[in-house]
Amino acid sequence: MSFVAGAQFQPRSPPPSADQVEACAVTIQASFRGYRVRKTPLVPGKIPRPLSLPAQVSAAGGVAEWNGQLPETLSLWSATDKMCKAISVEDALADLRGIMNLGHNIWAYSYMRVLYQKSMDIFYGCLMQEPEMLMPVVYTPTVGEACQKFGIMPFYSRGCYVSVSQRGNIKNVLTEYAEAELVKNPDGTYGCDCIVFSDGGRILGLGDLGAWGMGIPIGKLDLYTTCAGVDPTRTVPVILDAGIYDKNGNTAKIDIRDHPRYTGLKQDRVVHKSESGTVVNSAYYGEANMVQEFMEAATQVFGPNVILQFEDFNSNDAFPLLDTFRTQFVSYNDDIQGTAAVTCAGILGALKIKYPQCNDLVGRLARERILFHGSGSANIGAAALLHFEGGVPKSQLFMTNSRGLMWQSPDGTDGTYRNDEQKEFAVLGQPDAPHKTLEDIISLVTPTCLVGATGRTPGAFDKTVIETMLAVNQHDEHDVERPVVFALSNPRTQAECTSEEAYGFSNGEVIFGSGTKFPAVTVKGVEHKPGMVNNVYIFPGLSFGISQCAAASIPDSVFLRAAEAVANSLTPQDIAEDLSLIHISEPTRLLSISYAVFCLKKKKKKQQ
């Protein structure tokens, strides 16, 4: 049973009162069917978890033993525990505002994790009352830094770890976790609606963080509850631990694998070259592979309708795994399909700003020319959704990689693509004009929209790039079509440009959106508010709706419908403020639930 506690969160209404939030917390608590506050991390649970804890924590003897190994970990726990004494939402928010006034949110993240352990009621009450303030704390951008320091912070019991060494026994791992952490259904089965699972192989734009990547599945599921009312006691965050690369596998060059506080398997990933020539994790392929066993075990333990959301897998694995399992299980990849949907929603929203009288935004898409800077899962997924569901011709979709504009020979045997997914959107024929630098590519393909999601090139959209976008969209001296520029790479340190740079370089002409929230910018007396082109507008409501439909699979058409719903939520005031997506503090929750209702109506129509 999922709960929906969002009736009082109406769009464009004043923030809910403390009494309303407390009442909401009571509703949430009642829906937990008696599930109460969890143990603090230094106190062992009633049920040992030798199988479902990460390898090093299990080897230490459990959560309490792991946390007690070093005096600095004990001191850190003691400090955060003493800091977190709130007995109400108001108390906790006062604490958090004080901490955040210091200007560094990793302490606020630590506070929220302790608060979750002590009282989920207050934890979610805080998020629901102040989503704009706290969602960036429990998720991007702060969660990126939290994952890089995950083992240094005290370890908490939330989260199931499945290691490659446990192949053949994964069902027992999930069963152990369910017995210790979940509430049972009335029929005695374990209650779980949604699982978010990652292998830590490509955490945001930070690279391979291995088992420390657990912060991502946890953060995603926090937003499931905050934005769509999914019962948190019926969710499971999972890390598939297939090893971890050395320090060269992450952007910060942190030696995670050999760190004394690394929680996962201290071994390299076993990889091989696929038939298409890409490097992939060997454990995920072949007969009785790790991913297949995990997904089958999940449906055996939690039922065939449990949602299995792939998260932050390396692109080389993400596409083939999605293709293999999307029709076998109720499964989707948020990095590919969720990002595609919100990118599409942002572009539709930008079209609404450019053409406020347009009544067919999807139809107008076919006239846009879109350049994707970067050819990872996010951009390829967006291009695929725009083409196959949105009707944008391939001749108007362009993509870059480290070798410049991607192209393929007419017979498909040569080109700058690296895999079949990239080849799908490589232009036919090697261009004669310069096509290596981003400015040259923009001049060549004349895009109306530039989408950056490389995760590796912060600052790529410099003054020259922005000015070139303006130039190719200037039809004459008095007619400049406003170009769309999205800098989607997360966390903020990896963004292709900031709002100040985008609006400043263009004198306020571009319509700007970003993956992480940036502040509003005033240019020539006009305030421009960037849209936050983040998956939070898609995955919570989509997963909630799918869970209520008891769907057997998730078609791509659902993601385009979600994108339309997001774009159509924009108000005249949003458009006047240059917002291509709604305020995160506004009707996000209601929108998610509205989309869930759409899913239910669609199911009922099919049944009639």
Side-chain angles (χ1 to χ4, degrees):
M1 178 187 75
S2 295
F3 66 89
V4 180
Q8 66 264 45
F9 294 92
Q10 300 296 324
R12 300 292 186 257
S13 62
S17 68
D19 288 341
Q20 287 175 310
V21 174
E22 290 295 334
C24 179
V26 170
T27 302
I28 295 171
Q29 188 179 45
S31 75
F32 294 166
R33 295 178 301 282
Y35 189 77
R36 303 303 296 176
V37 176
R38 301 183 183 202
K39 295 286 185 180
T40 60
L42 296 183
V43 180
K46 293 181 180 179
I47 301 175
R49 284 176 46 196
L51 299 178
S52 57
L53 291 173
Q56 305 309 317
V57 177
S58 181
V63 175
E65 290 78 7
W66 173 262
N67 284 333
Q69 284 183 337
L70 296 178
E72 52 264 42
T73 306
L74 289 170
S75 295
L76 184 57
W77 162 249
S78 178
T80 50
D81 180 53
K82 290 176 181 177
M83 193 189 327
C84 184
K85 296 296 185 184
I87 59 173
S88 70
V89 170
E90 286 183 324
D91 289 345
L93 288 175
D95 288 346
L96 286 160
R97 290 189 182 99
I99 295 167
M100 295 173 71
N101 280 341
L102 296 174
H104 196 70
N105 287 346
I106 193 67
W107 275 103
Y109 179 92
S110 298
Y111 180 100
M112 288 294 281
R113 294 272 63 88
V114 175
L115 183 61
Y116 182 94
Q117 292 289 125
K118 292 187 172 186
S119 173
M120 281 190 284
D121 312 19
I122 299 176
F123 175 88
Y124 287 112
C126 288
L127 276 167
M128 289 172 189
Q129 182 159 322
E130 293 289 352
E132 189 170 18
M133 180 179 87
L134 292 177
M135 285 169 61
V137 171
V138 301
Y139 201 60
T140 182
T142 310
V143 72
E145 181 182 358
C147 286
Q148 290 176 319
K149 300 173 179 177
F150 207 76
I152 300 171
M153 294 185 286
F155 185 85
Y156 305 102
S157 61
R158 188 182 182 192
C160 179
Y161 295 78
V162 181
S163 80
V164 67
S165 63
Q166 294 169 317
R167 289 171 65 175
N169 196 39
I170 293 178
K171 182 179 178 181
N172 289 332
V173 177
L174 295 180
T175 301
E176 178 192 87
Y177 183 86
E179 185 67 27
E181 302 292 335
L182 299 184
V183 177
K184 287 187 176 181
N185 296 318
D187 63 1
T189 59
Y190 299 108
C192 179
D193 298 320
C194 309
I195 294 174
V196 175
F197 68 103
S198 175
D199 71 343
R202 195 230 60 188
I203 295 298
L204 303 174
L206 304 175
D208 187 7
L209 304 185
W212 281 6
M214 177 57 87
I216 294 295
I218 288 174
K220 284 280 186 181
L221 290 172
D222 286 342
L223 301 190
Y224 269 49
T225 298
T226 304
C227 298
V230 174
D231 185 339
T233 68
R234 295 180 62 86
T235 66
V236 180
V238 173
I239 283 289
L240 299 186
D241 187 355
I244 181 173
Y245 290 128
D246 63 18
K247 64 182 181 180
N248 294 312
N250 66 83
T251 57
K253 307 298 182 186
I254 305 169
D255 191 3
I256 297 175
R257 190 172 68 200
D258 294 326
H259 195 287
R261 299 301 288 171
Y262 181 57
T263 52
L265 289 174
K266 289 176 176 279
Q267 63 185 49
D268 201 359
R269 294 178 182 271
V270 177
V271 298
H272 69 271
K273 276 199 172 184
S274 66
E275 292 182 1
S276 60
T278 59
V279 177
V280 296
N281 280 272
S282 300
Y284 305 162
Y285 304 91
E287 187 176 351
N289 66 74
M290 183 182 187
V291 177
Q292 176 88 38
E293 183 185 349
F294 165 72
M295 298 181 86
E296 288 178 350
T299 57
Q300 290 165 8
V301 175
F302 304 117
N305 299 122
V306 63
I307 295 173
L308 297 162
Q309 179 191 320
F310 286 92
E311 187 66 34
D312 282 359
F313 281 72
N314 186 283
S315 294
N316 291 347
D317 291 310
F319 284 102
L321 291 176
L322 178 63
D323 287 343
T324 299
F325 296 116
R326 62 182 303 175
T327 57
Q328 297 181 40
F329 303 93
V330 186
S331 183
Y332 71 98
N333 185 307
D334 187 51
D335 305 300
I336 299 172
Q337 296 160 291
T339 302
V342 79
T343 301
C344 186
I347 294 173
L348 290 171
L351 294 180
K352 203 164 186 176
I353 295 171
K354 291 167 68 172
Y355 312 108
Q357 304 306 316
C358 180
N359 294 318
D360 182 14
L361 294 177
V362 174
R364 186 64 180 75
L365 267 178
R367 298 166 61 183
E368 299 301 303
R369 296 172 64 82
I370 303 167
L371 171 61
F372 293 95
H373 183 46
S375 50
S377 57
N379 276 347
I380 290 177
L385 185 65
L386 288 166
H387 173 64
F388 293 110
E389 298 295 332
V392 180
K394 283 186 183 179
S395 60
Q396 291 168 215
L397 298 170
F398 311 93
M399 199 166 291
T400 73
N401 61 16
S402 60
R403 300 166 70 183
L405 180 67
M406 285 199 316
W407 60 270
Q408 61 172 308
S409 60
D411 63 2
T413 60
D414 190 21
T416 57
Y417 57 88
R418 287 190 170 86
N419 52 48
D420 291 340
E421 290 79 25
Q422 290 185 359
K423 183 178 180 181
E424 185 80 44
F425 296 101
V427 300
L428 285 176
Q430 182 175 5
D432 294 326
H435 57 278
K436 300 296 184 183
T437 68
L438 191 51
E439 306 92 83
D440 285 340
I441 296 168
I442 293 170
S443 297
L444 177 63
V445 305
T446 63
T448 57
C449 181
L450 173 63
V451 179
T454 68
R456 297 169 179 262
T457 56
F461 297 171
D462 58 18
K463 191 171 189 289
T464 303
V465 167
I466 299 296
E467 289 177 343
T468 306
M469 282 295 293
L470 292 173
V472 299
N473 284 280
Q474 182 168 351
H475 305 299
D476 58 50
E477 185 179 353
H478 304 289
D479 182 17
V480 178
E481 183 178 346
R482 297 187 69 188
V484 180
V485 175
F486 288 166
L488 304 187
S489 291
N490 284 318
R492 182 177 300 172
T493 55
Q494 299 301 112
E496 287 76 15
C497 69
T498 67
S499 57
E500 184 176 1
E501 291 167 340
Y503 294 124
F505 294 155
S506 68
N507 289 318
E509 288 297 322
V510 303
I511 299 172
F512 177 70
S514 56
T516 297
K517 183 183 177 183
F518 279 105
V521 176
T522 299
V523 179
K524 297 181 179 178
V526 178
E527 186 180 55
H528 301 268
K529 294 184 177 180
M532 193 172 86
V533 190
N534 191 283
N535 305 19
V536 69
Y537 294 106
I538 302 295
F539 67 81
L542 184 136
S543 291
F544 178 79
I546 294 299
S547 71
Q548 300 307 297
C549 291
S553 61
I554 308 174
D556 282 332
S557 59
V558 169
F559 293 92
L560 183 62
R561 292 274 190 169
E564 288 183 85
V566 173
N568 286 329
S569 69
L570 290 172
T571 68
Q573 181 64 30
D574 293 327
I575 293 170
E577 294 176 347
D578 252 8
L579 276 169
S580 55
L581 286 157
I582 58 175
H583 288 288
I584 199 70
S585 59
E586 297 283 353
T588 314
R589 183 179 178 78
L590 188 62
L591 173 67
S592 295
I593 294 169
S594 296
Y595 186 67
V597 172
F598 160 78
C599 292
L600 288 167
K601 287 181 177 178
K602 187 173 181 181
K603 180 189 177 187
K604 287 179 180 178
K605 284 182 181 179
K606 287 185 176 181
Q607 292 174 338
Q608 289 174 352

